[in-house]
C-alpha cells in the first residue's frame, strides 16, 4: 500500500488476504458479523499480555454483542502491531504506509466459531418432574359484594416458588395474556377462558358453575406459564406473581416496554439458522402430525372421564333419593287392612325402612366424593394437557399465517418495487422520484432480511416448543395413576358401607326374607 490507512478505509480491498480468510472462518453463517465470544477466543490465541489484550478490546467497536467486518479488520491490525512489540493504537494504523502486518493466530481458525454441537441451545432437556417443580400456583375465588349483589370476582393467586399471594381480577389475567403473546409470540402461550358465558348459546351451566370453571381454567393457565422453561425466568411472570401495587396492568406494560419481544432479547435470535437441523421442516411436519393424533385421543379420553365423573355424581343423587323413598315408604301412617295379615310381616318391615335413609345418605356422600376426585384429579389433569396441546396448535397456526405470510407478502412487495425501478430506468423520470424508489427498495431489503431472521427464529422456538410437548407426554402416567387411585379409593369406601349395611339388613328383616341367601 502506498497511502496511509485510515480506520474508516479498512475494507476487503485495503487489507491483506489473510484478514479476509480470518473473517470468513469465524463470521456468523447468516451475515458478516462476528460474535464477541468468538473474538475473545481469538484474542486468547495471540499470546499477548492481558493488559495489551484489554487495550486492543478497548479500541474495537462492539454493538449488541457483535463486531462488524471493519471492526474485526481493525482488531487484526492492532493484534499484529502489538505482536511486533508496538503500542496497539488506532493512530499508528492511520500512519501506516505499507501493507498491514499479518497477525499470528495459529492454525485451524474454524474451531473458533461456536458450533451448534458445542453449545446445544436448541435442546430443552427438561423432564416433566423438572417442569412441575418450577412452581405450583393456587388460584382461589374471593368474591367482593356490594350490598346483596355480586360486584366482581377477585382471585387470590399464591405462588409456591415466590412464597407469596397477590390479588388479581380477570382483567389482570387478560392484560397479562395479551402482553405475554407480544413478548413470546413464537412460543406456546396457553389459552385464557372467556370472561363471561357466551350469549345466545344454549347451556345448562349455572352462573356459579361457570365462575368455578373459569377459576379452574385460570389456574391451569398460570401453572403452565409458571412452569414454562422460558416464561418462568422472565420478569413479566415474576411481576404478575409478586407485584402487590395498586395497578399491576401498568406495571406489566412498563416491564414489556423495557424488554420488547423475545427476538430482540434472545442472544441466539439472529443466529437461529445455524442451530437448526437440515431436515427441520420434515421433523416439524412429522411431530405436528403425531401431536395432532395425541390431541384427538386425549380429547376423547377427557370426554369419557367427564362422563365417568358425571355418573358418579348422578349415582350419588340416585342413592340419596333411593334412601329417601325407602324412608317415605316406612313413614306411611295408614293402618294395615285385614288382608295384610301379620304373617306378611309388613308392619315390622315398614318400621325398619325408616332407619335406612342414613346409610344411603352415607353411600350418596361417598359417591359424590368419588365424582369430585375424578373431576379434580383426572379431568383437570386431562384439561391441563389439552390446554397445552391446543396452545401448540395455535402456535403452529401463528407461525404459518403470521411470520411466513408476512415474509411472502414482503417478497411480493419487493418484486413490485424492482419492476418499478426497472421501468424507471427505461422511461426517464424525475431524479427525486427515482431516488425515493431506491431508498424504499433498500428499506424493503432490510425488512425482508429481518423477516427471514425472524422466520428462522420462529422455527427455532417451534422446535423447542415441540420438545416441550414431548416432555409433557409422561403426564399420561400421572392421569392413569390418579384414575386408578380414585377408583380404588371410591370402591373401597363404598364397599365398606355396603358390607356394613348387609348384616344390618339381616338383623332388621331376618333371614326368612332371603337376605343371607341368593334371592
Amino acid at each position: 500500500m502506498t497511502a496511509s490507512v485510515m480506520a474508516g478505509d479498512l475494507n476487503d480491498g485495503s487489507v491483506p488476504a489473510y484478514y479476509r480468510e480470518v473473517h470468513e472462518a469465524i463470521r456468523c453463517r447468516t451475515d458478516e458479523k462476528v460474535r464477541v465470544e468468538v473474538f475473545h477466543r481469538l484474542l486468547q490465541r495471540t499470546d499477548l499480555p492481558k493488559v495489551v489484550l484489554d487495550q486492543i478490546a478497548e479500541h474495537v467497536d462492539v454493538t449488541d454483542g457483535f463486531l462488524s467486518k471493519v471492526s474485526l479488520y481493525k482488531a487484526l491490525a492492532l493484534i499484529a502491531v502489538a505482536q511486533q512489540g508496538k503500542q496497539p493504537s488506532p493512530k499508528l494504523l492511520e500512519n501506516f504506509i505499507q501493507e498491514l502486518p499479518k497477525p499470528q493466530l495459529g492454525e485451524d481458525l474454524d474451531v473458533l466459531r461456536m458450533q451448534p454441537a458445542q453449545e446445544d441451545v436448541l435442546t430443552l432437556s427438561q423432564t416433566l418432574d423438572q417442569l412441575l417443580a418450577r412452581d405450583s400456583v393456587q388460584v382461589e375465588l374471593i368474591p367482593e359484594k356490594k350490598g346483596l349483589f355480586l360486584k366482581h370476582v377477585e382471585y387470590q393467586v399464591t405462588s409456591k416458588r415466590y412464597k407469596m399471594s397477590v390479588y388479581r381480577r380477570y382483567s389482570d389475567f387478560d392484560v397479562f395474556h395479551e402482553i405475554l403473546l407480544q413478548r413470546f409470540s413464537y412460543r406456546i402461550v396457553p389459552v385464557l377462558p372467556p370472561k363471561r358465558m357466551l350469549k345466545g348459546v344454549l347451556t345448562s351451566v349455572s352462573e356459579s358453575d361457570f365462575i368455578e370453571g373459569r377459576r379452574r381454567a385460570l389456574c391451569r393457565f398460570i401453572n403452565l406459564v409458571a412452569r414454562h422453561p422460558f416464561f418462568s425466568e422472565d420478569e413479566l411472570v415474576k411481576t404478575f406473581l409478586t407485584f402487590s401495587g395498586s395497578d399491576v396492568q401498568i406495571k406489566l406494560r412498563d416491564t414489556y416496554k423495557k424488554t420488547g419481544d423475545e427476538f430482540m432479547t434472545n442472544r441466539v435470535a439472529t443466529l437461529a439458522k445455524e442451530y437448526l437441523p437440515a431436515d427441520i421442516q420434515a421433523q416439524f411436519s412429522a411431530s405436528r402430525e403425531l401431536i395432532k393424533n395425541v390431541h384427538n385421543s386425549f380429547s376423547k379420553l377427557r370426554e369419557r372421564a367427564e362422563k365417568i365423573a358425571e355418573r358418579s355424581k348422578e349415582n350419588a343423587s340416585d342413592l340419596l333419593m333411593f334412601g329417601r323413598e325407602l324412608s317415605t315408604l316406612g313413614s306411611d301412617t295408614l293402618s294395615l287392612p285385614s288382608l295384610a295379615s301379620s304373617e306378611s310381616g309388613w308392619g315390622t318391615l315398614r318400621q325398619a325402612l325408616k332407619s335406612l335413609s342414613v346409610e344411603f345418605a352415607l353411600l350418596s356422600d361417598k359417591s359424590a366424593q368419588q365424582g369430585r376426585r375424578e373431576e379434580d384429579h383426572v379431568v383437570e389433569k386431562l384439561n391441563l394437557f389439552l390446554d397445552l396441546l391446543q396452545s401448540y396448535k395455535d402456535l403452529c397456526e401463528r407461525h404459518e399465517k403470521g411470520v411466513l405470510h408476512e415474509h411472502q407478502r414482503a417478497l411480493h412487495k419487493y418484486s413490485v418495487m424492482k419492476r418499478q425501478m426497472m421501468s424507471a430506468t427505461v422511461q426517464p423520470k424525475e431524479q427525486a422520484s427515482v431516488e425515493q424508489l431506491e431508498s424504499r427498495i433498500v428499506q424493503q431489503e432490510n425488512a425482508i432480511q429481518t423477516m427471514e431472521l425472524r422466520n428462522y427464529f420462529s422455527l427455532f422456538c417451534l422446535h423447542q416448543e415441540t420438545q416441550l410437548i414431548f416432555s409433557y407426554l409422561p403426564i399420561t402416567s400421572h392421569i392413569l395413576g390418579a384414575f386408578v387411585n380414585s377408583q380404588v379409593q371410591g370402591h373401597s369406601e363404598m364397599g365398606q358401607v355396603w358390607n356394613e349395611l348387609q348384616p344390618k339388613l339381616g338383623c332388621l328383616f331376618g333371614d326368612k326374607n332371603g337376605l343371607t341367601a341368593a334371592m
Side-chain angles (χ1 to χ4, degrees), residues 22 29 34 36 102 105 170 267 285 380 484 496:
V22 173
R29 294 175 183 172
V34 176
V36 69
K102 174 183 173 181
L105 302 174
Y170 179 87
R267 66 186 181 87
S285 298
E380 271 304 293
V484 171
Q496 184 178 350

Side-chain angles (χ1 to χ4, degrees), residues 5-160:
V5 179
M6 300 293 289
D9 294 335
L10 292 174
N11 54 57
D12 288 339
S14 64
V15 298
Y18 181 71
Y19 283 40
R20 297 191 292 275
E21 291 173 11
V22 173
H23 174 257
E24 184 61 30
I26 67 172
R27 72 177 180 86
C28 297
R29 294 175 183 172
T30 54
D31 53 35
E32 294 185 337
K33 295 177 182 177
V34 176
R35 274 184 285 178
V36 69
E37 298 96 329
V38 175
F39 173 63
H40 286 155
R41 287 203 293 274
L42 182 75
L43 289 177
Q44 299 306 314
R45 286 191 166 208
T46 62
D47 294 329
L48 291 170
K50 185 178 183 303
V51 63
V52 176
L53 294 179
D54 290 343
Q55 291 173 354
I56 294 172
E58 188 178 338
H59 294 309
V60 176
D61 295 328
V62 177
T63 305
D64 296 329
F66 294 92
L67 281 74
S68 67
K69 183 196 290 187
V70 171
S71 292
L72 176 68
Y73 288 165
K74 179 180 178 181
L76 293 175
L78 292 174
I79 290 170
V81 168
Q83 287 177 332
Q84 292 178 347
K86 301 174 184 176
Q87 185 70 18
S89 167
K91 288 188 177 181
L92 185 62
L93 299 182
E94 293 174 7
N95 299 322
F96 238 84
I97 59 174
Q98 56 188 355
E99 184 176 64
L100 292 170
K102 174 183 173 181
Q104 302 300 314
L105 302 174
E107 303 295 330
D108 195 15
L109 294 173
D110 283 324
V111 300
L112 292 175
R113 185 197 282 133
M114 194 176 297
Q115 301 292 341
Q118 292 175 303
E119 188 189 21
D120 191 5
V121 296
L122 186 61
T123 304
L124 281 183
S125 300
Q126 289 279 311
T127 65
L128 177 60
D129 289 341
Q130 288 172 330
L131 292 170
L132 296 178
R134 284 179 176 270
D135 202 353
S136 179
V137 186
Q138 299 296 320
V139 178
E140 301 298 337
L141 279 168
I142 303 179
E144 275 190 16
K145 292 186 177 180
K146 183 181 181 182
L148 298 175
F149 301 98
L150 190 67
K151 183 182 177 184
H152 68 264
V153 174
E154 193 171 31
Y155 302 95
Q156 183 181 38
V157 180
T158 306
S159 165
K160 184 178 180 180

Side-chain angles (χ1 to χ4, degrees), residues 137-141 153-158 166-181 189-195 214-223 225 240-241 248-249 252:
V137 186
Q138 299 296 320
V139 178
E140 301 298 337
L141 279 168
V153 174
E154 193 171 31
Y155 302 95
Q156 183 181 38
V157 180
T158 306
V166 291
Y167 298 94
R168 299 287 180 256
R169 297 183 183 180
Y170 179 87
S171 59
D172 299 329
F173 279 93
D174 194 29
V175 169
F176 177 53
H177 179 259
E178 172 196 334
I179 296 175
L180 206 59
L181 266 175
V189 178
V191 293
L192 266 189
K195 182 175 183 179
R214 188 178 64 185
R215 182 200 67 79
R216 288 174 179 266
L218 290 174
C219 188
R220 297 195 300 270
F221 163 79
I222 194 61
N223 273 286
V225 169
F240 186 81
L241 291 174
V248 68
Q249 296 180 23
L252 288 169

Side-chain angles (χ1 to χ4, degrees), residues 203-325:
T203 177
S204 59
V205 178
S206 66
E207 181 72 17
S208 59
D209 286 343
F210 172 78
I211 291 175
E212 170 58 17
R214 188 178 64 185
R215 182 200 67 79
R216 288 174 179 266
L218 290 174
C219 188
R220 297 195 300 270
F221 163 79
I222 194 61
N223 273 286
L224 286 172
V225 169
R227 293 165 179 170
H228 191 285
F230 296 101
F231 301 170
S232 60
E233 304 307 317
D234 194 77
E235 192 64 27
L236 270 178
V237 176
K238 182 179 179 181
T239 298
F240 186 81
L241 291 174
T242 62
F243 181 73
S244 57
S246 59
D247 199 332
V248 68
Q249 296 180 23
I250 293 176
K251 182 68 174 177
L252 288 169
R253 295 188 191 281
D254 289 344
T255 301
Y256 173 66
K257 286 177 184 177
K258 293 176 183 177
T259 55
D261 79 331
E262 189 186 9
F263 180 79
M264 304 301 295
T265 58
N266 192 301
R267 66 186 181 87
V268 299
T270 57
L271 310 169
K273 185 180 179 181
E274 294 187 38
Y275 298 101
L276 292 174
D279 61 342
I280 179 63
Q281 292 291 356
Q283 286 191 35
F284 169 56
S285 298
S287 297
R288 188 178 183 182
E289 188 64 26
L290 173 61
I291 292 170
K292 178 183 176 182
N293 293 339
V294 169
H295 193 173
N296 291 336
S297 293
F298 269 83
S299 296
K300 293 175 182 176
L301 286 172
R302 177 178 62 183
E303 182 181 344
R304 296 301 167 188
E306 286 175 337
K307 288 183 177 179
I308 291 170
E310 191 60 36
R311 280 200 295 271
S312 293
K313 294 177 184 177
E314 290 174 355
N315 190 37
S317 178
D318 290 339
L319 285 166
L320 185 63
M321 293 307 299
F322 192 90
R324 285 178 179 175
E325 289 301 329

